[in-house]
Coordinates of all heavy atoms in Angstrom, one line a residue:
M153 N 139.4 15.4 111.4 CA 139.9 16.3 110.4 C 139.0 16.3 109.1 O 138.7 15.2 108.7 CB 141.3 16.0 110.0 CG 142.1 17.1 109.3 SD 143.9 16.7 109.0 CE 143.7 15.6 107.5
T154 N 138.6 17.5 108.6 CA 137.7 17.5 107.5 C 138.6 17.4 106.2 O 139.8 17.6 106.2 CB 136.9 18.7 107.4 OG1 137.8 19.8 107.5 CG2 136.0 18.8 108.6
T155 N 137.9 17.0 105.2 CA 138.6 16.8 103.9 C 138.3 18.1 103.1 O 137.3 18.5 103.0 CB 138.0 15.6 103.1 OG1 138.1 14.4 104.0 CG2 138.8 15.3 101.9
S156 N 139.5 18.6 102.6 CA 139.3 19.9 101.8 C 138.7 19.5 100.4 O 138.8 18.4 100.0 CB 140.7 20.5 101.6 OG 141.5 19.8 100.8
N157 N 138.1 20.6 99.8 CA 137.6 20.3 98.4 C 138.7 20.0 97.4 O 138.4 19.3 96.5 CB 136.7 21.4 98.0 CG 137.4 22.8 97.8 OD1 138.6 22.8 98.1 ND2 136.6 23.7 97.4
T158 N 139.9 20.4 97.8 CA 141.0 20.1 96.8 C 141.2 18.6 96.9 O 141.4 17.9 95.9 CB 142.3 20.8 97.3 OG1 141.9 22.2 97.4 CG2 143.4 20.5 96.4
Q159 N 141.2 18.0 98.2 CA 141.6 16.5 98.4 C 140.4 15.7 97.8 O 140.5 14.7 97.1 CB 141.6 16.2 99.9 CG 143.0 16.7 100.4 CD 142.9 16.6 101.9 OE1 142.0 16.9 102.7 NE2 144.1 16.2 102.5
T160 N 139.1 16.2 98.0 CA 138.0 15.5 97.5 C 138.0 15.4 96.0 O 137.7 14.4 95.3 CB 136.6 16.2 97.9 OG1 136.6 16.3 99.2 CG2 135.4 15.5 97.4
L161 N 138.3 16.6 95.3 CA 138.5 16.6 93.9 C 139.6 15.6 93.4 O 139.4 14.9 92.4 CB 138.8 18.0 93.4 CG 138.9 18.3 91.9 CD1 137.6 18.0 91.2 CD2 139.4 19.7 91.6
F162 N 140.6 15.7 94.1 CA 141.8 14.8 93.7 C 141.3 13.2 93.9 O 141.7 12.4 92.9 CB 143.0 15.0 94.5 CG 144.1 14.1 94.1 CD1 144.8 14.2 93.0 CD2 144.3 12.8 94.9 CE1 145.9 13.3 92.6 CE2 145.3 12.0 94.6 CZ 146.1 12.2 93.4
Q163 N 140.6 12.9 94.9 CA 140.1 11.6 95.1 C 139.1 11.2 94.0 O 139.2 10.0 93.4 CB 139.4 11.4 96.4 CG 140.4 11.3 97.6 CD 139.8 11.7 98.9 OE1 138.6 11.9 99.1 NE2 140.6 11.7 99.9
S164 N 138.2 12.1 93.5 CA 137.3 11.8 92.4 C 138.1 11.6 91.1 O 137.8 10.7 90.3 CB 136.4 13.0 92.3 OG 135.5 13.0 93.3
F165 N 139.1 12.4 90.9 CA 139.9 12.3 89.7 C 140.7 11.0 89.7 O 140.7 10.3 88.7 CB 140.9 13.5 89.6 CG 141.8 13.4 88.3 CD1 141.3 14.0 87.2 CD2 143.0 12.9 88.4 CE1 142.0 13.9 86.1 CE2 143.8 12.9 87.2 CZ 143.3 13.4 86.0
D166 N 141.3 10.7 90.8 CA 142.0 9.4 90.9 C 141.1 8.2 90.7 O 141.5 7.3 89.9 CB 142.5 9.3 92.4 CG 143.7 8.4 92.5 OD1 144.6 8.4 91.6 OD2 143.8 7.7 93.6
R167 N 139.9 8.2 91.2 CA 138.9 7.1 91.0 C 138.5 7.0 89.6 O 138.3 5.9 89.0 CB 137.8 7.3 92.0 CG 138.0 6.9 93.3 CD 136.9 7.0 94.2 NE 137.3 6.8 95.7 CZ 137.0 7.6 96.7 NH1 136.2 8.5 96.5 NH2 137.5 7.3 97.8
A168 N 138.3 8.2 88.9 CA 137.9 8.3 87.5 C 139.0 7.7 86.6 O 138.7 7.0 85.6 CB 137.6 9.7 87.1
M169 N 140.3 7.8 87.0 CA 141.4 7.3 86.3 C 141.6 5.8 86.5 O 141.9 5.0 85.6 CB 142.7 8.0 86.5 CG 142.6 9.4 86.1 SD 142.3 9.7 84.4 CE 143.9 9.3 83.7
M170 N 141.4 5.4 87.8 CA 141.8 4.0 88.2 C 140.7 3.0 88.0 O 140.9 1.9 87.7 CB 142.1 3.9 89.7 CG 143.3 4.7 90.1 SD 144.8 4.3 89.2 CE 145.1 2.7 90.1
E171 N 139.4 3.4 88.2 CA 138.3 2.5 88.1 C 137.9 2.4 86.6 O 137.8 3.5 86.0 CB 137.2 2.9 88.9 CG 137.5 2.9 90.4 CD 136.5 3.4 91.3 OE1 135.3 3.5 90.8 OE2 136.8 3.7 92.5
S172 N 137.5 1.2 86.2 CA 137.1 1.1 84.8 C 135.5 1.5 84.7 O 134.7 0.5 84.5 CB 137.5 -0.2 84.2 OG 137.0 -1.3 85.1
L173 N 135.3 2.7 84.7 CA 133.8 3.1 84.6 C 133.5 3.2 83.1 O 134.2 3.5 82.2 CB 133.7 4.6 85.1 CG 134.1 4.7 86.7 CD1 134.2 6.2 87.0 CD2 133.2 3.9 87.6
K174 N 132.2 2.7 82.8 CA 131.8 2.7 81.5 C 130.8 3.9 81.3 O 130.0 4.1 82.2 CB 131.1 1.4 81.1 CG 132.0 0.1 81.2 CD 131.3 -1.1 80.6 CE 132.3 -2.2 80.5 NZ 132.5 -2.9 81.9
V175 N 131.0 4.5 80.2 CA 130.1 5.7 80.0 C 129.2 5.5 78.7 O 129.6 5.1 77.7 CB 131.0 6.9 79.7 CG1 130.2 8.2 79.3 CG2 131.8 7.3 80.9
Y176 N 127.9 5.7 78.9 CA 126.9 5.5 77.9 C 126.1 6.8 77.7 O 125.9 7.5 78.7 CB 126.0 4.3 78.1 CG 126.6 3.0 78.3 CD1 126.9 2.6 79.7 CD2 127.0 2.1 77.3 CE1 127.6 1.4 80.0 CE2 127.6 1.0 77.5 CZ 127.9 0.6 78.8 OH 128.5 -0.7 79.1
R177 N 125.7 7.0 76.5 CA 124.7 8.1 76.3 C 123.3 7.6 76.8 O 122.9 6.5 76.6 CB 124.5 8.4 74.8 CG 125.6 9.3 74.3 CD 125.4 9.9 73.0 NE 126.6 10.6 72.5 CZ 127.0 11.8 72.8 NH1 126.2 12.5 73.7 NH2 128.1 12.3 72.4
N178 N 122.5 8.5 77.5 CA 121.2 8.3 77.8 C 120.4 8.3 76.6 O 120.3 9.4 76.0 CB 120.7 9.2 78.9 CG 119.4 8.8 79.4 OD1 118.6 8.1 78.8 ND2 119.1 9.1 80.8
G179 N 119.7 7.1 76.2 CA 118.9 7.1 75.1 C 117.5 7.7 75.3 O 116.6 7.8 74.4
G180 N 117.1 8.2 76.5 CA 115.8 8.6 76.8 C 115.4 9.9 76.1 O 116.3 10.8 75.9
I181 N 114.2 10.0 75.6 CA 113.7 11.2 74.9 C 113.9 12.3 75.9 O 113.4 12.5 76.9 CB 112.3 11.0 74.4 CG1 112.2 9.9 73.3 CG2 111.7 12.3 73.8 CD1 110.8 9.4 73.0
G182 N 114.5 13.5 75.3 CA 114.8 14.6 76.1 C 115.9 14.6 77.0 O 116.3 15.5 77.6
L183 N 116.5 13.4 77.1 CA 117.7 13.2 78.0 C 119.0 12.7 77.2 O 119.9 12.3 77.8 CB 117.4 12.0 78.9 CG 116.2 12.2 79.9 CD1 115.8 11.0 80.8 CD2 116.5 13.4 80.9
E184 N 119.0 13.0 75.9 CA 120.0 12.4 75.0 C 121.3 13.1 75.4 O 122.3 12.6 75.1 CB 119.7 12.7 73.5 CG 118.4 11.9 73.1 CD 117.1 12.8 73.2 OE1 117.2 13.8 73.9 OE2 116.2 12.5 72.4
G185 N 121.3 14.3 75.9 CA 122.5 15.0 76.2 C 123.1 14.4 77.5 O 124.4 14.7 77.7
N186 N 122.4 13.7 78.2 CA 122.9 13.2 79.5 C 123.7 11.8 79.3 O 123.6 11.2 78.2 CB 121.8 12.9 80.5 CG 121.2 14.2 81.0 OD1 121.6 15.3 80.7 ND2 120.2 14.1 81.7
F187 N 124.4 11.4 80.3 CA 125.2 10.2 80.1 C 124.9 9.3 81.4 O 124.6 9.8 82.5 CB 126.7 10.5 80.2 CG 127.2 11.2 79.0 CD1 127.1 12.6 78.9 CD2 127.5 10.6 77.7 CE1 127.6 13.4 77.8 CE2 127.9 11.2 76.6 CZ 128.0 12.6 76.7
V188 N 125.0 8.1 81.2 CA 124.9 7.1 82.2 C 126.2 6.4 82.5 O 126.9 6.1 81.5 CB 123.9 6.1 82.0 CG1 123.8 4.9 83.0 CG2 122.4 6.7 81.8
V189 N 126.7 6.5 83.8 CA 128.1 5.9 84.0 C 127.8 4.7 84.9 O 127.2 4.7 85.9 CB 128.9 7.0 84.7 CG1 130.3 6.3 85.1 CG2 129.1 8.2 83.9
V190 N 128.5 3.6 84.5 CA 128.2 2.3 85.2 C 129.6 2.0 85.9 O 130.6 2.1 85.1 CB 127.8 1.2 84.2 CG1 127.6 -0.1 84.9 CG2 126.5 1.7 83.5
N191 N 129.6 1.5 87.0 CA 130.8 1.1 87.7 C 131.4 -0.1 87.2 O 130.8 -0.9 86.4 CB 130.7 1.1 89.3 CG 130.0 -0.1 89.8 OD1 129.5 -0.9 89.0 ND2 129.9 -0.2 91.1
H192 N 132.6 -0.5 87.7 CA 133.4 -1.6 87.1 C 132.7 -3.0 87.4 O 133.0 -3.9 86.6 CB 134.8 -1.6 87.6 CG 134.9 -1.6 89.1 ND1 134.5 -0.5 89.8 CD2 135.3 -2.6 90.0 CE1 134.7 -0.8 91.1 NE2 135.2 -2.0 91.3
E193 N 131.9 -3.1 88.4 CA 131.2 -4.3 88.8 C 129.9 -4.3 87.9 O 129.1 -5.4 88.2 CB 131.0 -4.5 90.1 CG 132.4 -4.6 90.9 CD 132.3 -4.2 92.3 OE1 131.6 -3.3 92.7 OE2 133.0 -4.8 93.1
S194 N 129.5 -3.3 87.2 CA 128.2 -3.2 86.5 C 127.0 -3.4 87.5 O 126.0 -4.0 87.3 CB 128.0 -4.2 85.5 OG 129.1 -4.0 84.4
V195 N 127.2 -2.8 88.8 CA 126.2 -2.9 89.8 C 125.4 -1.5 89.9 O 124.3 -1.5 89.9 CB 126.8 -3.2 91.1 CG1 125.9 -3.2 92.3 CG2 127.5 -4.6 91.1
D196 N 126.2 -0.5 90.0 CA 125.6 0.8 90.1 C 125.7 1.7 88.8 O 126.7 1.6 88.2 CB 126.3 1.6 91.2 CG 126.2 0.9 92.7 OD1 125.0 0.5 92.9 OD2 127.1 0.8 93.4
A197 N 124.6 2.4 88.6 CA 124.7 3.3 87.4 C 124.1 4.7 88.0 O 123.1 4.8 88.7 CB 123.7 2.8 86.4
Y198 N 124.8 5.7 87.4 CA 124.4 7.1 87.8 C 124.3 7.9 86.6 O 125.0 7.7 85.6 CB 125.5 7.7 88.8 CG 125.5 6.9 90.1 CD1 126.6 6.1 90.4 CD2 124.4 7.0 91.1 CE1 126.6 5.4 91.7 CE2 124.5 6.3 92.2 CZ 125.5 5.5 92.5 OH 125.7 4.8 93.7
E199 N 123.5 8.8 86.6 CA 123.2 9.7 85.4 C 123.9 11.0 85.6 O 123.8 11.8 86.8 CB 121.8 10.0 85.3 CG 121.6 10.8 84.0 CD 120.0 10.9 83.6 OE1 119.2 10.8 84.4 OE2 119.8 11.0 82.4
V200 N 124.7 11.4 84.6 CA 125.4 12.7 84.6 C 124.7 13.6 83.7 O 124.4 13.4 82.6 CB 126.9 12.6 84.1 CG1 127.5 13.9 84.0 CG2 127.7 11.7 85.1
K201 N 124.2 14.7 84.3 CA 123.3 15.7 83.6 C 124.2 16.8 82.9 O 125.0 17.3 83.5 CB 122.3 16.3 84.6 CG 121.4 15.3 85.1 CD 120.5 15.9 86.2 CE 119.6 14.7 86.8 NZ 118.8 15.1 87.9
V202 N 123.8 17.0 81.6 CA 124.5 17.9 80.8 C 123.6 19.0 80.3 O 122.4 18.6 79.7 CB 125.3 17.2 79.7 CG1 125.9 18.3 78.8 CG2 126.3 16.1 80.2
E203 N 123.8 20.2 80.3 CA 123.0 21.2 79.7 C 124.0 22.1 78.8 O 124.9 22.6 79.3 CB 122.3 22.1 80.8 CG 121.1 21.4 81.5 CD 120.5 22.2 82.6 OE1 120.7 23.4 82.6 OE2 120.0 21.5 83.5
Q204 N 123.5 22.3 77.7 CA 124.3 23.1 76.6 C 125.8 22.8 76.7 O 126.6 23.6 76.7 CB 124.0 24.6 76.9 CG 122.6 25.0 76.6 CD 122.1 26.3 77.2 OE1 122.9 26.8 78.0 NE2 120.9 26.7 76.8
G205 N 126.0 21.5 76.7 CA 127.4 21.1 76.6 C 128.2 21.2 77.8 O 129.5 20.9 78.0
I206 N 127.6 21.6 79.0 CA 128.4 21.7 80.3 C 127.8 20.7 81.2 O 126.6 20.5 81.4 CB 128.1 23.1 80.9 CG1 128.3 24.3 79.9 CG2 128.9 23.3 82.2 CD1 129.8 24.5 79.6
I207 N 128.8 20.0 81.9 CA 128.3 19.0 82.9 C 127.9 19.7 84.2 O 128.6 20.6 84.7 CB 129.5 18.1 83.2 CG1 130.0 17.3 81.9 CG2 129.2 17.1 84.3 CD1 131.3 16.6 82.1
K208 N 126.6 19.4 84.6 CA 126.0 20.0 85.7 C 126.1 19.4 87.0 O 126.4 19.9 88.0 CB 124.6 20.3 85.4 CG 124.4 21.3 84.2 CD 124.6 22.8 84.5 CE 124.3 23.6 83.4 NZ 124.5 25.0 83.7
E209 N 125.6 18.1 87.0 CA 125.6 17.3 88.2 C 125.4 15.9 88.0 O 125.2 15.4 86.7 CB 124.4 17.8 89.1 CG 123.0 17.7 88.4 CD 121.9 18.1 89.3 OE1 122.1 18.0 90.5 OE2 120.8 18.5 88.8
C210 N 125.4 15.0 89.0 CA 125.3 13.6 88.8 C 124.3 13.1 89.9 O 124.1 13.8 90.8 CB 126.7 13.0 89.1 SG 126.7 11.1 89.0
T211 N 123.7 12.0 89.7 CA 122.8 11.5 90.7 C 123.4 10.6 91.7 O 122.6 10.2 92.6 CB 121.7 10.6 89.9 OG1 122.4 9.5 89.1 CG2 120.8 11.4 89.0
C212 N 124.7 10.4 91.8 CA 125.3 9.7 92.9 C 125.4 10.6 94.2 O 125.1 11.7 94.1 CB 126.7 9.2 92.6 SG 128.0 10.5 92.6
P213 N 125.4 9.9 95.3 CA 125.3 10.6 96.5 C 126.4 11.7 96.7 O 126.2 12.8 97.3 CB 125.6 9.5 97.6 CG 125.2 8.3 97.0 CD 125.5 8.5 95.5
H214 N 127.6 11.4 96.2 CA 128.8 12.3 96.3 C 128.4 13.7 95.6 O 128.8 14.7 96.2 CB 130.0 11.6 95.5 CG 131.3 12.2 95.9 ND1 131.7 12.2 97.2 CD2 132.2 12.7 95.1 CE1 133.0 12.8 97.2 NE2 133.3 13.1 96.0
S215 N 127.8 13.6 94.5 CA 127.4 14.9 93.8 C 126.1 15.4 94.4 O 126.0 16.6 94.7 CB 127.3 14.6 92.3 OG 126.6 15.6 91.7
H216 N 125.1 14.5 94.5 CA 123.7 15.0 95.0 C 123.7 15.5 96.3 O 123.2 16.6 96.6 CB 122.8 13.8 94.7 CG 121.4 14.3 95.0 ND1 120.7 14.9 94.0 CD2 120.5 14.1 96.1 CE1 119.4 15.2 94.5 NE2 119.3 14.6 95.7
W217 N 124.3 14.8 97.3 CA 124.2 15.3 98.7 C 125.4 16.2 99.0 O 125.2 17.2 99.7 CB 124.1 14.1 99.6 CG 122.9 13.3 99.4 CD1 122.9 12.0 98.9 CD2 121.6 13.6 99.7 NE1 121.6 11.6 98.8 CE2 120.7 12.5 99.3 CE3 121.0 14.9 100.2 CZ2 119.3 12.6 99.4 CZ3 119.5 14.9 100.2 CH2 118.8 13.8 99.9
R218 N 126.6 15.8 98.7 CA 127.7 16.6 99.1 C 128.1 17.8 98.1 O 129.0 18.5 98.3 CB 128.9 15.7 99.3 CG 128.8 14.9 100.5 CD 130.0 13.9 100.6 NE 129.5 12.5 100.6 CZ 130.2 11.5 100.4 NH1 131.4 11.5 100.1 NH2 129.6 10.3 100.4
K219 N 127.4 17.8 96.9 CA 127.7 18.8 95.9 C 129.1 18.8 95.4 O 129.7 19.9 95.1 CB 127.2 20.2 96.5 CG 125.9 20.4 96.9 CD 124.8 20.1 95.8 CE 123.4 20.2 96.4 NZ 122.5 19.5 95.5
A220 N 129.7 17.7 95.5 CA 131.1 17.5 95.1 C 131.2 17.2 93.6 O 130.2 16.7 93.0 CB 131.8 16.4 95.9
V221 N 132.4 17.4 93.0 CA 132.5 16.9 91.7 C 133.0 15.5 91.8 O 134.0 15.2 92.3 CB 133.7 17.8 90.9 CG1 134.1 17.2 89.6 CG2 133.3 19.2 90.8
C222 N 132.2 14.6 91.3 CA 132.4 13.2 91.5 C 133.2 12.5 90.3 O 133.3 13.2 89.3 CB 131.0 12.5 91.6 SG 130.0 12.6 90.2
K223 N 133.5 11.3 90.5 CA 134.4 10.5 89.5 C 133.5 10.4 88.1 O 134.1 10.3 87.1 CB 134.8 9.2 90.0 CG 133.6 8.2 90.4 CD 134.1 7.0 91.1 CE 133.0 6.2 91.6 NZ 133.5 5.0 92.3
H224 N 132.2 10.3 88.4 CA 131.4 10.1 87.1 C 131.4 11.3 86.2 O 131.6 11.2 85.0 CB 130.0 9.8 87.5 CG 129.9 8.7 88.6 ND1 129.5 9.0 89.9 CD2 130.1 7.4 88.5 CE1 129.5 7.9 90.5 NE2 129.8 6.8 89.8
M225 N 131.4 12.5 86.8 CA 131.4 13.7 86.1 C 132.8 13.9 85.4 O 132.8 14.4 84.3 CB 131.1 15.0 87.0 CG 129.7 14.9 87.6 SD 129.5 16.0 89.2 CE 129.5 17.6 88.4
I226 N 133.8 13.6 86.2 CA 135.1 13.7 85.7 C 135.3 12.8 84.5 O 135.9 13.2 83.5 CB 136.2 13.5 86.8 CG1 136.2 14.6 87.8 CG2 137.6 13.3 86.2 CD1 137.0 14.4 89.0
K227 N 134.9 11.5 84.6 CA 135.0 10.5 83.5 C 134.3 10.9 82.2 O 134.9 11.0 81.2 CB 134.4 9.3 84.0 CG 134.8 8.0 83.1 CD 136.1 7.6 83.3 CE 136.4 6.3 82.5 NZ 137.7 5.8 82.8
V228 N 133.1 11.6 82.4 CA 132.4 12.0 81.2 C 133.2 13.3 80.6 O 133.3 13.4 79.4 CB 131.0 12.5 81.5 CG1 130.2 13.2 80.5 CG2 130.1 11.2 82.0
G229 N 133.7 14.1 81.5 CA 134.4 15.2 81.1 C 135.7 15.0 80.3 O 136.0 15.5 79.3
L230 N 136.4 13.9 80.7 CA 137.5 13.4 80.1 C 137.3 12.8 78.7 O 137.9 13.1 77.8 CB 138.4 12.5 81.0 CG 139.0 13.1 82.2 CD1 139.5 12.0 83.1 CD2 140.1 14.0 81.8
I231 N 136.3 11.8 78.7 CA 136.0 11.1 77.6 C 135.4 12.0 76.4 O 135.8 11.9 75.3 CB 135.0 10.0 77.8 CG1 135.8 8.9 78.7 CG2 134.4 9.3 76.6 CD1 134.9 7.8 79.1
H232 N 134.5 13.0 76.7 CA 133.8 13.7 75.8 C 134.3 15.1 75.7 O 133.7 15.9 75.1 CB 132.3 13.6 76.0 CG 131.7 12.3 75.9 ND1 131.5 11.7 74.6 CD2 131.4 11.3 76.7 CE1 131.0 10.5 74.7 NE2 131.0 10.2 76.0
N233 N 135.4 15.4 76.4 CA 136.0 16.7 76.3 C 135.0 17.8 76.7 O 134.8 18.8 75.9 CB 136.6 16.9 74.9 CG 137.6 18.2 75.0 OD1 138.0 18.7 75.9 ND2 137.6 18.8 73.6
M234 N 134.4 17.8 77.8 CA 133.4 18.7 78.1 C 133.8 19.4 79.5 O 134.5 18.9 80.3 CB 132.0 18.0 78.4 CG 131.4 17.4 77.2 SD 130.0 16.3 77.6 CE 128.7 17.3 76.9
D235 N 133.3 20.7 79.7 CA 133.6 21.4 81.0 C 132.6 20.9 82.1 O 131.5 20.6 81.8 CB 133.4 22.9 80.7 CG 134.6 23.5 80.0 OD1 135.7 22.8 80.0 OD2 134.4 24.6 79.3
I236 N 133.1 21.0 83.3 CA 132.3 20.7 84.5 C 132.0 22.1 85.1 O 133.0 22.9 85.3 CB 133.1 19.8 85.5 CG1 133.3 18.5 84.9 CG2 132.3 19.7 86.8 CD1 134.2 17.6 85.8
E237 N 130.7 22.4 85.2 CA 130.3 23.7 85.7 C 131.0 24.2 86.9 O 131.4 25.3 87.1 CB 128.8 23.7 86.0 CG 128.2 25.1 86.3 CD 126.8 25.2 86.6 OE1 126.3 24.4 87.4 OE2 126.1 25.8 85.7
Q238 N 131.2 23.3 88.0 CA 131.8 23.7 89.2 C 133.3 24.1 89.2 O 133.8 24.7 90.1 CB 131.6 22.6 90.3 CG 130.2 22.4 90.6 CD 129.5 21.3 89.9 OE1 129.8 21.2 88.8 NE2 128.5 20.6 90.4
L239 N 133.9 23.7 88.1 CA 135.4 24.0 88.0 C 135.6 25.2 87.1 O 135.2 25.3 85.9 CB 136.1 22.8 87.3 CG 136.0 21.5 88.1 CD1 136.7 20.3 87.2 CD2 136.5 21.6 89.5
K240 N 136.1 26.3 87.7 CA 136.3 27.5 86.9 C 137.3 27.3 85.8 O 138.3 26.7 86.1 CB 136.8 28.6 87.8 CG 135.6 29.1 88.8 CD 136.2 30.4 89.4 CE 135.3 31.0 90.4 NZ 134.1 31.6 89.9
R241 N 137.1 28.0 84.8 CA 138.1 27.9 83.6 C 139.1 29.0 84.0 O 138.8 30.1 84.5 CB 137.4 28.3 82.3 CG 136.5 27.2 81.8 CD 136.1 27.5 80.3 NE 137.2 27.4 79.4 CZ 137.5 26.3 78.7 NH1 136.6 25.3 78.7 NH2 138.4 26.3 77.8
P242 N 140.4 28.7 83.6 CA 141.5 29.6 83.8 C 141.3 30.8 82.9 O 140.7 30.7 81.9 CB 142.8 28.9 83.6 CG 142.3 27.8 82.7 CD 140.9 27.4 83.1
Ligands
ZN513 ZN1 128.6 10.8 90.4

């Protein structure tokens, strides 16, 4: 059975809420709009790309390969009150 994009989105949202992900601004020149999200074990870090205030994508496999809205994007969106491009506004 395949997973619907609704289920995938919910799982990402659930993980964004349950896991203590840390969000930092990327201090790199030209990358200041982006964020780096570090997992609760401080093992993995992924970059969430932002253009003109809209969250575009993340470097994690979930976003990069599956084109899904991942927990990192959701976490940045929640903390910094930003829109995620793939989610349509009502
Ligand atoms: Zn991600």
